[in-house]
Structure formats: C-alpha cells, structure tokens
C-alpha cells in the first residue's frame, strides 16, 4: 500500500467531502421520494380500509332496514296503527333511529313512531331507487321537520313478490362525522368525506366545514383552493388514488377511496412535514457527519503519517461487523483503490447502507405496523361490541358455510357457545324444522349462496336448540360481499318469535269471537255458513235466537245487567249444543246456531232442551226470555239464504207473540224491584196514584181515562229504577250533576213503558209529568195544553204528595200550606184550572 503525500491529503479530503455531500443529497432526495410514495400508498390503504368499514356499517343498516321492511307488522291490516306506532317506537329507541316511515308506491308517507302526518317523497332519489327493488342510503339531506342533517336508509317493501312501497328510517347526519372523528393517525393525520358533488359531508369539525363555501366551482376561482379543487375533481371520479395540495402554507398528502354502494368518498391526509420528519433528521445527521469528517480531514492534513491506512482498515472491519448489506455504493474506481481513499470509500459505503436500512426499513416500518395493528384492534373491538349488543341472534359463516362468529343472543337461542360452534357447519348449529310437518327446513345460508340475495326464513320455522328446546323464529339471511361483489360468506339475523306468535293467535281469536260471550262472531259465522253449505253436511239446520227485552233490561237495570243476560243465554245455549255445532252471536241480542247433519225434528229437540235450560236459569228477578225460529236445508238444490230467511221469519213471528208478554212481566218486575229497594218511593207512588184519580173524578173524566191516570200515577217514577238509591235518599241538597242525573228518570220511564203495548198509552203521561205550565219544565219543555191532561194532573198530585210526606232533607208542611204553595205556583208551574179544582173540590 502506497502512502499519499501530505500535500495531497487536503485535496483528496476536499474531494471526498464533496462526493459525500453530493451522494448524501441524492440519497436524501431518493429517500424523500420513496417515503412520499410509501406515505401515499399507506394513506390509500387506510382510506380503502375506512371505506370498507363504512360500507360494512351502511350494509349493516341496509340489511336491518331490508329485514324490517319485510316485517309482518308493517302491512298486517289486523294490526292497528297505534300498535304499529308502539312497535316502531321500540325499534327506533333500540336501534338509534330518529324515526321510521312507510311510503306507498305513490310516495305518500305515514310516520310510525311520531304523530300521524302526511307528506310525499315521490321525487326523492332514494325513494325511486328503493322502489326499483334496491336498498339504498341517501346522501346527507336537511330534514324538513327539524332542519337538521340526516341520513335516510330505505328498502323496498314486498307483498306477494311485488314492491308495494318503501320503508325508510332517519338517522342523525352526525353519524358520519362521528366515525371520521375516531381517526387518530400520527400527530397531523386526519380524515374526511366528500360526496359525488365534491361537498364535504363528514369531518372532525363538520360545522366549520359546512360553514365554509368549499364546493368545486368556488375552488376554481379561489387560487388558494385551486390545487385542492383539482384533487377533489379526481376524488369524485370514484377511483382509488392520492394527491397533494397546499392550504394556508401547509403542504399535505392525501389518499382517497370511494365507499361502494354510497355517494361518498373517504380521504386520509397527513402533513408532508411529518411524513418526511425522519428524512430531515437523517439529513441533519448527514450534515453533522460531513462537517465532522471535514474537521477530521483538516486535522489529518497536519497529522497524516505513513501509518494512516492502518486505522482506516480497522474502521472498515469494525463497520463490516454492523452490517453486510451493501446496497449503496460509491463509484467502482474508488472502491478498487488499495490506498487510504479506497479504504475510506468502502467504510463510507457501509455506513450509508447501515443508516438507510436502519431508519427507512426498521424504525419507520415498525412504527407504521404498530399503528396499523392498533387501528385494526380498535375496529375489531367496536365491531364485537356492536354485534354483542344486538337484541337479535347473529351468526356469520365463511364461503363454505362454516360458522365464524356468533353473538350472545345467538348463543342463548341455539344453546351453542361461540367457541364450540366455530368451524362447524351452519346446519349443525342452526337446526330448523317446519312446526307442523316436522320436516327439516332448507338452510337459508344455502339459498343465499345460490342466489346471492337476502332470503327470508320459511313460515312456521322452529329452531331446535342444542338441549332440545323448540323456539319459533323469524328473520333472514344475507350474503357477505367483498369489494368485487363476490360472495365470501353469509350472515343470518334471527329472533325468538314466541311472543309475537302468541299475540297473532290472540288477534286471530278476537277476529273470530264475540268478546262479551266468547261465542263465534258474525264474520266467523258467514265463513262457516259457506264452508258447511255442501252436500256432505246435509241436512243443515239454522236456528235463530232473539233475547226478548234486552233494551228494556239495559234501560231499567243498566248495561252491565244486560251483558249478564246475554252471557247467561249464551252459556245455556252452549251447554246444550254439540261439539260440531257452530254457535255465533251475530247482533246485539241475536244468536244463531249452525247444526250440520241435523234434521228439522232433531233441531226442535235441541231447541226444547235449550228452553228447559233457560227456565232453570235465574238472574235476580229479571225475566229471561228468548224467541227462537229455525229451518232446515234438505237438498243441495235449496238456497241456504232462503233457509236463513225462513228461520229468521219464524223467529220474528214467535217474537211478536212472546216479547210483549215478557215486557209486561219485566215492567212488573221493575216496579216490584223499585218498591222493595225503596219503601218511600212505593208509598209516594201509591199516594200519587190515589190523589191523581181523585182529581180526575173531580174533573168528571171518563172511567177509561181515570184508569190510565191511576196506573200512570202508580208508575210515574218507574224510571228511577236506573238511579242509585243513595242519590234518591240523599239528605242534603243535590249537586248540579246529581240533579241532571235525576232529571233523566221521566225519559227512562217512558222507554220502559213504551216497550210494552199494555203501557204504551200511559208512557206519554210519565214522560211529561215534570213539564211546567209556563214551558220551563223538562225533558221537552212543553207549555200549557201541549202537556197531556193526565200528566198535568199527576204533576200536581206529585208536588202535593212530596210537600206533605215525610222527607229526610226537609220538614213536612201542612195540607193548607201545600194548597197555598200550589196556588202560588198556579199559572207558572201548574195548570191553574186543575189547581183550583184540586184545592176547592178534592178531599184528601
């Protein structure tokens, strides 16, 4: 090895330093380019991952709204609007929706979990898309009701395979910004979303962004935003890419990717300075190194010696121990030299390779991997928390139909733990059969793999759990698609159908039965009449029952007693009829029997037994009476409606005969009941009857009218049967409400007496016995001789008896005082002529 003269060392040192500076600059420039490219690729990868995450969130909501759109509650006409409100209010509260609404094919909307409103959304893009059969999520829109930003998730509603409308749910528009706000990438990293028009729809500070005018047209005219506008124009082409722009003097790198199935593009950004921070540090290190090497070179100028090569060789060997990776090299002509420069060149090359490898491949890549792992773990935790918080069972499978994920509800319903079920075939864990045939149902996962669509479970599906329990279930299976639209698995969402099934059974029972008596109703009777009107059930007999005096019972004893009367009659009929006989209540007081394979004579026997059963039945002192008519269809040629008409006609003929007698008996029962429960009223009515006859005799009325007046006086307060005895015997003054109740007794008495022919003639007298001569009376406000003569007589007799009889609420007055009071009210309350005759000619 040859030594270099000391006078040449300074020259060679300067050359080496210049070479180091040039190579270092080239190296730094290359590293900066590589890091910038790597940063772009990382940002694009993260943007694609975020886009897939948001797409999964959107698909999850679309799957939910699609499943909800097929819910039987939505279109079931037997479920009232109020019940639907309760159901969708619960769904909104459970899932975080602001509201749910259904729009028919014309766009007319009914809002379910709010007050009933009417609007039309036929012109909305999301409505048209959903109406075509495709679930869809809208862009951010402003709610017409609240003025807030909202997202609309809409799905078609099918009925018998045809789209009949659209179900959609509103969610708060801040949901997108909340997802974006979770992004935490390095110190200056951030994320945001734009729609297909380039308008920002999600950002950490969405309110600030929306307050700015940042659409593409404004970006064209504003020079400071031009570069951002060009980047946004590339983003809305819906391709995956990257770019840079400068805003407020800060250079930023952006990676972006479209969110499939939506109108949105997600972008990840990072300040370029932070991305290149390590390179700048490396440059500083290099500059320090070069400066240090320069100082050493100057020192070497003065201390160089013939043995200088030996220390350099040791340095080379020492650096070789650090790394054998020679990826950066000086020109070959320097490396081939065997003097000090050659040794130094080899050492510098090793050092540069070592620094580059350590900084760019180990430290940065390691940090990026750690950060990516944290993001993935965070997203996985969020997914698992959401999955396990659902109230429905959820099972997902891979493309081979093997179970991958189960939530807690799925574990509870199937009896399998997630760990035990993992990797098993879906059919092993999810064993379903038909409730009635007991045959195994086709796997919904298999259907989904075959057609790539959402598939609803078959009706009457029962899940057999691991421990053998049988659980009615409902819901649907949907495919899991990758970015290219290929099926990579399936997910089934299901729920326990037991409560809903029970409620549907109750609704079905109520739709066929009379709520008061428990018998079948008219609707069921009409269906059964059609079903039994065949040759197989001949002879077919129809028997019609009419409860006599039901209205009279209601008027006199109250509707509760009338209901008890109907229930007793129904019970008596049911106790006699056979198992195959159809008993229906088809009207307020009408029942009908359908007696298949029963002749006219056999029907007569059954009716006789029912009559005997009713004779043994008691309801206080109320007369229980029914009129029955029947007819029989003997041959197929007979029209069943003609048979029905004959039975009805027969019943009405008997009712004409029986009902009047029954009503007269009932009136006697009413009077007896009133008198037994209130002795004062009995004495009062008897006295009024006697006084009224004496007044009539003094007026020289004929015997027929005298008899009517006497009976009317006895029955004038029969309407008080409907008034509580506590009110009739109240010692103090009546309240306004109590007085109004008491004033109804003339009308009640009128209706009671009017129902029986024997008392029809006196019913008008009873109705008018509280009318006044001056027209200020009640209930009709009759005046003067508009009031029947008999009623005017009874009015005076009633007032006299009330004044002279003992009362708990006032003192008794003498006859003369009573006469004076009658004279005082003569011409106002009472007929003056009758008062004069009564006071002068009648002896009490």
């Amino acid at each position: 090895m040859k030594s270099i003269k000391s006078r040449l060392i300074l020259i060679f040192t300067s050359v080496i330093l210049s070479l180091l500076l040039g190579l270092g600059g080239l190296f730094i420039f290359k590293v900066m380019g590589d890091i910038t490219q790597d940063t772009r690729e990382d940002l694009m990868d993260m943007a694609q991952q975020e886009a897939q995450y948001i797409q999964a969130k959107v698909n999850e909501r679309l799957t939910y709204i699609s499943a909800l759109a097929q819910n039987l509650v939505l279109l079931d006409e037997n479920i009232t609007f109020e019940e639907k409100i309760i159901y969708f209010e619960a769904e909104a509260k459970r899932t975080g929706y602001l509201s749910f609404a259904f729009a028919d094919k014309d766009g007319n909307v009914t809002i379910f979990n709010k007050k009933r409103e009417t609007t039309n959304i036929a012109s909305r893009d999301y409505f048209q898309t959903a109406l075509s059969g495709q679930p869809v999520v809208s862009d951010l829109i402003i709610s017409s009701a609240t003025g807030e930003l909202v997202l609309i998730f809409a799905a078609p509603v099918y009925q018998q395979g045809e789209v009949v409308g659209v179900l959609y749910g509103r969610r708060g528009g801040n949901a997108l910004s909340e997802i974006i706000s979770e992004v935490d990438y390095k110190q200056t990293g951030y994320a945001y979303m734009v729609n297909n028009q380039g308008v920002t729809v999600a950002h950490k500070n969405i309110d600030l962004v929306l307050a700015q005018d940042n659409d593409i047209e404004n970006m064209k005219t504003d020079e400071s935003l031009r570069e951002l506008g060009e980047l946004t124009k590339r983003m809305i082409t819906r391709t995956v890419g990257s770019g840079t722009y400068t805003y407020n003097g800060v250079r930023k790198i952006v990676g972006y990717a479209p969110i499939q199935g939506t109108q949105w593009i997600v972008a990840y950004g990072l300040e370029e300075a932070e991305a290149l921070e390590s390179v700048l540090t490396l440059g500083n290190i290099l500059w320090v190194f070069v400066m240090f090497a320069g100082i050493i070179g100057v020192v070497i100028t003065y201390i160089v010696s013939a043995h200088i090569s030996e220390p350099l060789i040791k340095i080379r060997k020492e650096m070789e121990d650090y790394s054998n990776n020679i990826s950066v090299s000086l020109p070959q002509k320097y490396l081939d030299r065997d003097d000090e420069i050659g040794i130094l060149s080899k050492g510098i090359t090793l050092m540069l390779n070592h620094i580059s490898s350590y900084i760019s491949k180990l430290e940065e890549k390691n940090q990026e991997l750690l950060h990516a792992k944290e993001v993935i773990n965070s997203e996985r935790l969020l997914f698992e928390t959401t999955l396990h918080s659902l109230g429905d069972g959820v099972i997902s499978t891979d493309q081979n139909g093997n179970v991958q994920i189960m939530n807690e509800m799925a574990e509870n319903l199937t009896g399998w733990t997630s760990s035990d079920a993992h990797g098993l075939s879906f059919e092993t864990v999810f064993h379903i059969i038909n409730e009635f045939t007991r045959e195994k149902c086709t796997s919904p996962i298999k259907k989904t793999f075959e057609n790539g669509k959402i598939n609803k479970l078959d009706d009457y599906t029962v899940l057999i759990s691991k421990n053998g329990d049988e659980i009615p279930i409902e819901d649907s299976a949907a495919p899991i698609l990758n970015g290219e639209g290929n099926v990579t698995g399936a997910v089934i969402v299901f729920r326990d159908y037991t409560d809903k099934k029970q409620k549907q059974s109750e609704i079905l029972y109520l739709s066929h039965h009379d709520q008061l008596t428990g018998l079948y109703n008219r609707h069921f009777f009409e269906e059964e009449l059609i079903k039994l009107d065949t040759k197989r059930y001949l002879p077919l007999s129809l028997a019609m029952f009419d409860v006599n005096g039901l209205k009279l019972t209601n008027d006199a004893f109250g509707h509760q007693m009338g209901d008890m009367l109907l229930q007793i009659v129904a019970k008596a009929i049911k106790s006699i009829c056979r198992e195959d006989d159809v008993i229906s209540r088809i009207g307020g007081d009408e029942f009908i029997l359908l007696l298949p394979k029963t002749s006219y004579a056999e029907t007569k026997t059954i009716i006789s037994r029912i009559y005997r059963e009713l004779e043994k039945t008691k309801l206080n002192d109320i007369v229980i009476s029914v009129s029955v008519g029947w007819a029989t269809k003997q041959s197929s040629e007979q029209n069943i409606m003609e048979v029905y008409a004959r039975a009805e006609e027969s019943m009405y003929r008997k009712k004409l005969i029986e009902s009047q007698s029954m009503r007269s008996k009932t009136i006697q029962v009413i009077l007896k009941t009133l008198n037994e429960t209130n002795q004062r009223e009995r004495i009062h009515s008897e006295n009024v009857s006697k006084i009224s006859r004496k007044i009539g005799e003094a007026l020289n009325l004929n015997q027929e009218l005298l008899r009517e007046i006497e009976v009317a006086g006895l029955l004038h307060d029969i309407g008080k049967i409907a008034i509580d005895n506590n009110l009739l015997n109240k010692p103090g003054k009546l309240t306004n409400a109590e007085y109004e109740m008491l004033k109804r007794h003339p009308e009640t008495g009128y209706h009671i007496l009017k129902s029986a022919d024997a008392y029809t003639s006196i019913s008008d007298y009873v109705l008018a016995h509280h009318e006044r001569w001056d027209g200020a009376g009640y209930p009709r406000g009759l005046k003067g001789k508009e009031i029947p003569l008999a009623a005017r007589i009874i009015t005076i007799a009633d007032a006299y008896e009330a004044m002279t009889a003992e009362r708990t609420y006032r003192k008794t007055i003498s006859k003369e005082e009573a006469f004076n009071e009658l004279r005082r009210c003569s011409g106002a309350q009472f007929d003056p002529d009758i008062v004069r005759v009564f006071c002068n000619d009648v002896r009490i």
Side-chain angles (χ1 to χ4, degrees):
M1 180 180 295
K2 297 179 179 179
S3 297
I4 301 177
K5 298 295 183 179
S6 58
R7 64 178 177 268
L8 298 178
I9 289 177
L10 183 59
I11 298 172
F12 282 108
T13 301
S14 299
V15 173
I16 291 172
L17 290 175
S18 298
L19 182 61
L20 286 174
L21 285 173
L23 290 175
L26 291 173
F27 175 73
I28 295 297
F29 182 77
K30 182 178 183 302
V31 170
M32 288 177 64
D34 292 343
I35 290 178
T36 300
Q37 183 60 33
D38 289 344
T39 301
R40 286 192 179 203
E41 292 176 358
D42 291 342
L43 290 173
M44 285 190 291
D45 289 342
M46 286 187 290
Q48 290 182 79
Q49 292 175 12
E50 189 71 13
Q52 291 171 0
Y53 173 74
I54 296 174
Q55 180 187 1
K57 284 289 184 181
V58 170
N59 287 343
E60 178 184 328
R61 285 294 169 184
L62 290 178
T63 299
Y64 166 74
I65 202 73
S66 297
L68 192 61
Q70 305 310 311
N71 197 303
L72 296 178
V73 171
L74 186 60
L75 297 177
D76 194 337
E77 295 179 355
N78 292 322
I79 299 177
T80 66
F81 183 80
E82 286 72 22
E83 291 172 330
K84 292 178 181 179
I85 288 176
I86 294 172
Y87 179 84
F88 282 97
E89 281 180 342
E91 283 298 298
K93 185 179 296 183
R94 182 176 67 80
T95 59
Y97 277 84
L98 301 176
S99 66
F100 289 101
F102 170 74
D104 60 22
K105 293 179 72 174
D106 296 325
N108 297 315
V109 175
T110 299
I111 296 179
F112 283 111
N113 60 329
K114 296 186 179 291
K115 65 181 182 179
R116 188 188 294 263
E117 297 178 0
T118 302
T119 186
N120 189 283
I121 62 169
S123 62
R124 305 291 174 87
D125 291 341
Y126 63 81
F127 172 78
Q128 294 297 331
T129 301
L131 196 62
S132 68
Q134 178 66 40
V136 66
V137 59
S138 73
D139 199 355
L140 277 179
I141 61 176
I142 299 177
S143 170
S144 60
T146 65
E148 299 176 347
L149 290 175
V150 296
L151 290 173
I152 304 296
F153 290 83
V157 178
Y158 290 90
Q159 188 174 50
Q160 297 180 352
E162 181 182 356
V163 177
V164 297
V166 172
L167 177 72
Y168 66 92
R170 294 191 304 116
R171 288 186 61 82
N174 60 352
L176 296 178
S177 293
E178 290 175 358
I179 294 175
I180 290 301
S181 297
E182 295 174 358
V183 172
D184 184 14
Y185 178 56
K186 296 189 177 182
Q187 292 182 354
T188 61
Y190 62 96
Y192 67 99
M193 287 169 55
V194 300
N195 63 16
N196 286 345
Q197 287 72 46
V199 176
T200 302
V201 296
H203 195 277
K204 276 188 176 182
N205 193 350
I206 186 63
D207 293 334
L208 177 61
V209 173
L210 291 176
Q212 298 173 350
D213 191 4
N214 64 337
D215 59 65
I216 296 178
E217 292 302 319
N218 288 330
M219 291 177 183
K220 290 180 180 178
T221 58
D222 188 343
E223 188 60 27
S224 65
L225 297 177
R226 183 188 58 78
E227 197 174 12
L228 177 58
E230 293 296 324
L231 175 62
T232 304
K233 285 169 60 177
R234 294 199 302 273
M235 290 172 63
I236 64 178
T237 61
R238 301 193 62 81
T239 58
V240 178
S242 65
T244 59
Y245 70 95
T246 301
Y247 185 71
N248 288 340
V250 179
R251 191 71 172 170
K252 300 184 180 182
I253 304 173
V254 176
Y256 53 85
I259 304 173
Q260 300 299 325
T262 73
Q263 302 181 38
W264 309 317
I265 301 97
V266 65
Y268 266 64
L270 183 69
E271 290 186 7
E272 188 178 60
E274 183 177 6
L276 300 177
E277 183 178 1
S278 59
V279 179
L280 297 175
T281 301
L282 177 60
N284 292 332
I285 293 172
L286 184 58
W287 277 108
V288 171
F289 171 78
V290 172
M291 293 298 295
F292 179 75
I295 294 172
I296 294 296
V298 174
V299 173
I300 289 175
T301 304
Y302 297 99
I303 64 173
V304 67
S305 66
H307 302 286
I308 197 168
S309 299
E310 187 175 345
L312 293 177
I313 294 172
K314 291 182 179 180
I315 291 174
R316 187 196 72 179
K317 290 182 178 179
E318 189 172 340
M319 295 186 73
E320 285 178 345
D321 293 336
Y322 288 115
S323 174
N324 291 317
N325 183 13
I326 305 175
S327 60
V328 180
S329 178
L330 295 174
Q332 191 64 36
K333 63 180 180 179
Y334 296 112
L335 295 173
D336 292 341
R337 293 181 61 164
D338 58 354
D339 57 9
E340 293 88 347
I341 293 177
I343 295 171
L344 185 61
S345 298
K346 292 180 177 65
I348 291 174
T349 300
L350 289 173
M351 182 184 67
L352 291 175
N353 287 333
H354 176 72
I355 294 173
S356 176
S357 175
Y358 179 75
I359 293 176
S360 63
K361 292 185 178 180
L362 293 179
E363 185 176 354
E364 291 185 3
K365 292 296 183 184
N366 186 54
Q367 292 299 321
E368 292 171 3
L369 290 173
L370 289 175
H371 178 72
K373 184 177 180 181
E374 291 176 359
V375 171
I376 292 172
N377 288 338
S378 176
E379 292 177 353
R380 182 182 295 277
L381 179 61
L382 177 61
F383 168 74
E384 291 178 352
T385 301
T386 302
L387 182 66
H388 289 290
S389 65
L390 292 175
D392 292 346
V394 179
I395 301 176
S396 70
T397 73
D398 58 20
Q399 59 188 0
N400 297 317
N402 297 324
V403 175
Q404 298 299 301
I405 298 175
M406 294 176 64
N407 68 352
E408 293 180 6
M409 183 57 69
E411 291 180 334
N412 294 337
L413 293 176
T414 63
W416 289 83
T417 64
S418 182
S419 58
D420 290 342
H422 187 271
L424 297 179
S425 68
F426 175 76
E427 288 75 11
T428 300
V429 176
F430 200 74
H431 181 203
I432 51 177
I433 63 172
N434 184 279
E435 179 181 5
F436 300 108
T437 66
R438 310 302 293 178
E439 294 180 356
K440 187 175 181 179
C441 295
T442 303
S443 170
I445 296 295
K446 183 178 180 181
K447 291 183 181 179
T448 297
F449 285 154
E450 290 174 353
N451 58 29
K453 299 179 180 179
I454 296 174
N455 292 280
K456 187 179 178 182
L457 294 178
D458 296 333
D459 292 335
Y460 312 113
T461 298
V462 173
L463 172 66
I464 308 297
S465 69
K466 188 177 181 181
N467 57 15
D469 293 338
E470 296 189 4
I471 306 168
I473 60 171
E474 65 169 357
D475 233 322
S476 59
I480 300 175
L481 306 177
N482 61 14
E484 290 74 33
N486 298 321
V487 178
T488 60
V491 61
I492 181 169
V493 182
F494 59 100
R495 65 173 62 91
D496 188 340
Y497 186 59
T498 303
D499 291 342
K500 184 176 178 180
K501 182 180 178 183
Q502 182 179 354
K503 290 178 181 177
Q504 288 180 343
S505 298
E506 292 173 356
I507 292 172
L508 181 61
Y509 177 86
L510 292 175
S511 69
H512 285 165
H513 289 78
D514 172 51
Q515 194 169 359
L516 176 64
T517 63
L519 302 179
Y520 292 119
N521 58 20
R522 175 181 285 275
H523 177 68
F524 183 83
F525 159 73
E526 291 172 348
E527 290 181 347
E528 287 298 296
L529 183 62
I530 296 172
K531 188 183 300 182
L532 296 177
D533 186 20
T534 64
K535 187 175 181 180
R536 174 184 175 186
Y537 295 103
L538 295 179
L540 176 62
S541 293
L542 281 78
M544 295 193 69
F545 291 74
D546 188 280
V547 179
N548 294 322
L550 175 63
K551 185 178 184 305
L552 181 58
T553 302
N554 287 333
D555 290 340
F557 300 103
H559 286 275
Q560 185 176 4
M561 190 65 70
D563 291 345
M564 292 175 62
L565 174 61
L566 290 172
Q567 289 170 339
I568 284 177
V569 172
K571 183 178 179 181
I573 296 172
K574 190 174 182 179
S575 68
I576 300 302
C577 290
R578 302 160 299 185
E579 184 176 351
D580 294 335
D581 297 339
V582 178
I583 315 168
S584 304
R585 182 186 176 202
I586 62 172
D589 55 1
E590 292 184 350
F591 299 84
I592 192 165
L593 297 185
L594 276 177
L595 307 173
K597 298 181 181 180
T598 306
S599 67
Y600 186 89
E602 290 171 330
T603 303
K604 183 178 181 180
T605 301
I606 293 172
I607 300 303
S608 298
R609 292 174 59 194
I610 292 173
Y611 268 131
R612 289 196 295 272
E613 182 67 22
L614 287 172
E615 288 174 357
K616 295 187 295 181
T617 304
K618 301 296 181 184
L619 178 60
N620 296 338
D621 292 326
I622 293 176
V623 179
I624 301 176
S625 170
V626 297
S627 297
V628 188
W630 67 92
T632 303
K633 179 176 179 177
Q634 303 287 352
S635 64
S636 301
E637 290 74 21
Q638 290 178 278
N639 188 313
I640 190 64
M641 297 313 298
E642 293 178 357
V643 176
Y644 181 98
R646 290 205 311 273
E648 187 176 38
E649 182 182 357
S650 173
M651 180 270 291
Y652 281 130
R653 284 199 306 268
K654 293 182 180 179
K655 187 174 182 67
L656 288 174
I657 299 172
E658 299 169 351
S659 63
Q660 287 301 322
S661 173
M662 176 268 171
R663 290 184 180 122
S664 296
K665 292 179 181 178
T666 300
I667 290 173
Q668 295 301 319
V669 168
I670 293 170
L671 184 61
K672 177 184 176 184
T673 301
L674 180 63
N675 290 339
E676 288 178 350
T677 56
N678 195 319
Q679 289 296 321
R680 182 178 61 77
E681 288 295 330
R682 179 184 64 79
I683 295 170
H684 170 72
S685 296
E686 290 175 352
N687 289 338
V688 169
S689 176
K690 293 176 183 177
I691 295 170
S692 296
R693 182 177 180 89
K694 289 183 178 182
I695 295 174
E697 290 173 346
L699 292 172
N700 296 318
L701 301 180
N702 61 59
Q703 289 299 317
E704 179 64 23
L705 184 54
L706 287 174
R707 187 188 66 80
E708 289 181 352
I709 291 173
E710 185 177 9
V711 175
L714 187 64
L715 299 176
H716 76 285
D717 277 341
I718 194 170
K720 289 183 178 180
I721 188 67
I723 300 175
D724 193 308
N725 271 329
N726 293 327
L727 177 59
L728 294 176
N729 295 321
K730 183 177 179 179
K733 183 178 180 181
L734 298 180
T735 65
N736 290 337
E738 289 171 337
Y739 182 61
E740 289 300 321
M741 187 179 298
L742 184 65
K743 284 170 61 177
R744 291 201 293 266
H745 79 273
E747 296 176 75
T748 302
Y750 170 79
H751 289 299
I752 291 173
L753 297 174
K754 192 74 173 179
S755 65
D757 291 346
Y759 298 98
T760 300
S761 60
I762 65 172
S763 61
D764 287 330
Y765 308 157
V766 171
L767 178 64
H769 80 276
H770 275 290
E771 300 287 358
R772 290 170 54 104
W773 182 258
D774 58 6
Y778 62 88
R780 293 183 293 173
L782 300 180
K783 182 178 181 180
K785 293 188 178 180
E786 293 175 351
I787 307 170
L789 175 61
R792 284 178 269 153
I793 293 172
I794 294 171
T795 299
I796 294 171
D798 183 31
Y800 175 81
E801 203 285 331
M803 288 186 286
T804 57
E806 293 184 1
R807 293 290 186 269
T808 57
Y809 52 85
R810 60 164 175 76
K811 293 181 180 180
T812 302
I813 63 176
S814 66
K815 294 179 181 180
E816 288 303 321
E817 289 175 324
F819 285 152
N820 290 335
E821 182 64 18
L822 290 175
R823 291 188 185 100
R824 187 183 69 82
C825 295
S826 175
Q829 183 175 355
F830 307 114
D831 183 333
D833 294 333
I834 300 176
V835 169
R836 185 175 59 256
V837 170
F838 177 55
C839 294
N840 297 334
D841 302 332
V842 177
R843 297 292 178 263
I844 303 301

